[in-house]
Amino acid sequence: MTQLFEVATPDTALLRGVTESAHSPLRAQNNVVRLQGISRRFGHTQALRDVSLTLQKGEILGLIGRSGAGKSTLIRCLNGLEQPDSGVIEIEGRNITGLSEKQLQAVRSRVGMVFQHFNLLSAKTVAQNVALPLKIAGMDKAQRQQRVAELLELVGLADKAQHYPAALSGGQKQRVGIARALAASPALLLCDEATSALDPETTRSILALLKSLNQKLGITILLITHEMEVIKSVAHRVAVIDGGEIIEHGPVWQVFADPQSAVTRTLLRGLLPQLPDNLAARLSQQKQGEVIYCVHAAGDDAQGDLLTRFAAALPGKFRLLQGGVEHIQHYAVVRFFIALPASNIADEQQILSWLHTQQAQVERVGYVASHD
Ligand code: ADP
């Protein structure tokens, strides 16, 4: 996979696969966004600290972080609502820091925004809501009508043009929000918790829409979300922000397979197989009964068969407690927990060396009293 995204952080151990200079001419041409050393302080709060990242054309980047991490400030900097104290923000190669409000308006038309609560005007029809940015941009009525019809077709709402928002479901309202954000054919779509107000099924349909828009239009998307499922299903890359700094980033499958920071592990907790609660509660670091290991690996389909091969190679030597394999971005991500008698050192050694020959990572989680 080609390198699509680069982040500079002080902790280089957390950077993965950065193979190309951010300043090469080829990259510069493909960059829709380039942030270089962005910092922003509010009083004593450092909301953003030396953030550098690029989004290339056609990339879907997920940005995750705890509440207060700096996500909204970053978004506001990207659409020109906030000016950083230092650093450079380029949208399609144009530095937008220090622009006048009038100059910023032109930049904003290149950046579409999708909101959590849709932000539709209730007194206007679906068509009028979508037409609004075009009207503000001065497009004539006939062109507007044609463009609105195209956009509603694109988001699957051609039959709702004359409806009012109140008559729409949440998912339909968000489709209107997306059509409106796309009206001026922006280069970048900023989605701020775009599916957080929707039920799981509607979320899936909105994500499918975003994915197809990304493929059809080649639009670059920045997804800000606290829903890790969203990242897993549509993003190419993920960046983790904490305390205003990008602390970890990489292709989604890699970060999900082997999160490096404690913050990322906490954010991904609901998505990664965990030790069952009853066992976690009894876990001790004192050697006793059974030893528990967490095994994880990621890679091609062969790596996806790891658990099957493991069970076949060492039958009866361990108990599977939890976990398995899932596929993210065409990569197999394997994570499971096993237990084995702590007294049988020979078996334990055999298991560990077999797993190491398979490039699996193995972590001793602790001990529990014997299973009976
Ligand atoms: P997130 O979107 O990740 O929840 P924010 O970007 O909203 O985080 O906020 C980052 C930090 O900056 C927080 O500590 C927040 O309280 C602070 N902050 C953001 N905007 C302002 C502001 N206008 N005035 C003062 N503090 C702010």
Side-chain angles (χ1 to χ4, degrees):
M1 202 172 123
T2 51
Q3 176 65 30
L4 294 176
F5 170 70
E6 178 181 314
V7 172
T9 98
D11 190 348
T12 50
L14 300 184
L15 300 183
R16 298 163 212 253
V18 175
T19 55
E20 207 183 335
S21 158
H23 304 293
S24 77
L26 181 67
R27 287 183 61 98
Q29 273 173 19
N30 286 328
N31 286 344
V32 172
V33 174
R34 188 172 80 89
L35 302 184
Q36 186 64 50
I38 294 298
S39 293
R40 179 70 167 106
R41 172 184 280 276
F42 298 103
H44 295 298
T45 307
Q46 191 74 47
L48 294 176
R49 193 188 301 264
D50 198 20
V51 170
S52 295
L53 67 84
T54 59
L55 269 94
Q56 283 205 314
K57 183 162 170 42
E59 176 180 17
I60 304 182
L61 173 72
L63 180 68
I64 59 174
R66 298 182 285 193
S67 180
K71 304 180 293 296
S72 310
T73 307
L74 190 66
I75 280 210
R76 288 203 306 276
C77 285
L78 281 172
N79 60 21
L81 292 175
E82 195 81 70
Q83 287 288 340
D85 301 325
S86 56
V88 172
I89 302 174
E90 283 176 6
I91 306 284
E92 296 180 300
R94 182 174 187 196
N95 185 356
I96 67 163
T97 47
L99 292 187
S100 68
E101 192 51 33
K102 190 158 188 293
Q103 291 169 315
L104 275 174
Q105 271 171 19
V107 174
R108 284 195 196 114
S109 73
R110 305 298 299 144
V111 181
M113 183 84 200
V114 181
F115 304 91
Q116 179 177 3
H117 295 295
F118 326 125
N119 294 16
L120 303 181
L121 297 175
S122 58
K124 295 202 179 290
T125 64
V126 164
Q128 287 167 337
N129 267 283
V130 176
L132 200 61
L134 301 173
K135 202 170 174 183
I136 293 169
M139 188 183 273
D140 72 45
K141 194 169 175 190
Q143 278 184 308
R144 255 182 0 238
Q145 281 174 341
Q146 193 190 335
R147 178 77 183 132
V148 168
E150 273 170 25
L151 288 159
L152 290 180
E153 185 72 42
L154 194 62
V155 300
L157 284 184
D159 57 335
K160 299 282 189 264
Q162 300 315 318
H163 289 227
Y164 285 88
L168 303 180
S169 68
Q172 289 168 335
K173 285 181 193 163
Q174 195 54 297
R175 283 169 190 268
V176 180
I178 291 170
R180 180 188 52 192
L182 293 173
S185 306
L188 173 68
L189 200 58
L190 296 178
C191 299
D192 190 5
E193 298 286 1
T195 55
S196 302
L198 305 174
D199 62 61
E201 195 185 330
T202 313
T203 292
R204 275 194 290 280
S205 81
I206 293 294
L207 293 178
L209 174 63
L210 289 174
K211 216 169 176 169
S212 88
L213 293 171
N214 168 255
Q215 282 161 5
K216 267 192 224 164
L217 309 176
I219 191 164
T220 307
I221 302 179
L222 178 62
L223 280 178
I224 298 215
T225 181
H226 69 276
E227 298 171 301
M228 301 303 133
E229 277 292 346
V230 168
I231 302 288
K232 192 174 91 177
S233 57
V234 295
H236 302 125
R237 296 195 148 250
V238 60
V240 186
I241 186 168
D242 197 55
E245 279 181 90
I246 304 288
I247 57 163
E248 183 167 2
H249 82 92
V252 171
W253 71 274
Q254 261 184 26
V255 173
F256 278 48
D258 190 15
Q260 301 287 299
S261 72
V263 170
T264 311
R265 279 195 287 275
T266 305
L267 289 168
L268 295 181
R269 209 180 148 72
L271 222 57
L272 301 173
Q274 303 294 330
L275 203 58
D277 286 347
N278 63 333
L279 278 179
R282 288 163 40 212
L283 203 62
S284 156
Q285 294 309 316
Q286 298 269 315
K287 187 165 177 178
Q288 57 178 305
E290 285 187 306
V291 57
I292 295 181
Y293 284 99
C294 174
V295 180
H296 57 107
D300 57 13
D301 288 344
Q303 201 65 323
D305 292 339
L306 177 73
L307 184 50
T308 314
R309 286 185 285 113
F310 183 35
L314 298 159
K317 303 226 170 188
F318 65 90
R319 284 194 304 128
L320 177 65
L321 299 173
Q322 187 93 292
V325 58
E326 66 176 318
H327 288 84
I328 304 177
Q329 294 178 305
H330 312 297
Y331 288 91
V333 175
V334 181
R335 180 177 161 94
F336 58 86
F337 291 86
I338 54 169
L340 49 136
S343 55
N344 195 337
I345 308 283
D347 276 6
E348 188 175 348
Q349 282 311 320
Q350 199 185 354
I351 282 176
L352 294 181
S353 55
W354 190 90
L355 288 169
H356 283 133
T357 63
Q358 306 299 308
Q359 280 79 49
Q361 298 198 45
V362 187
E363 190 186 323
R364 190 169 63 213
V365 183
Y367 299 88
V368 290
S370 282
H371 178 67
D372 43 35

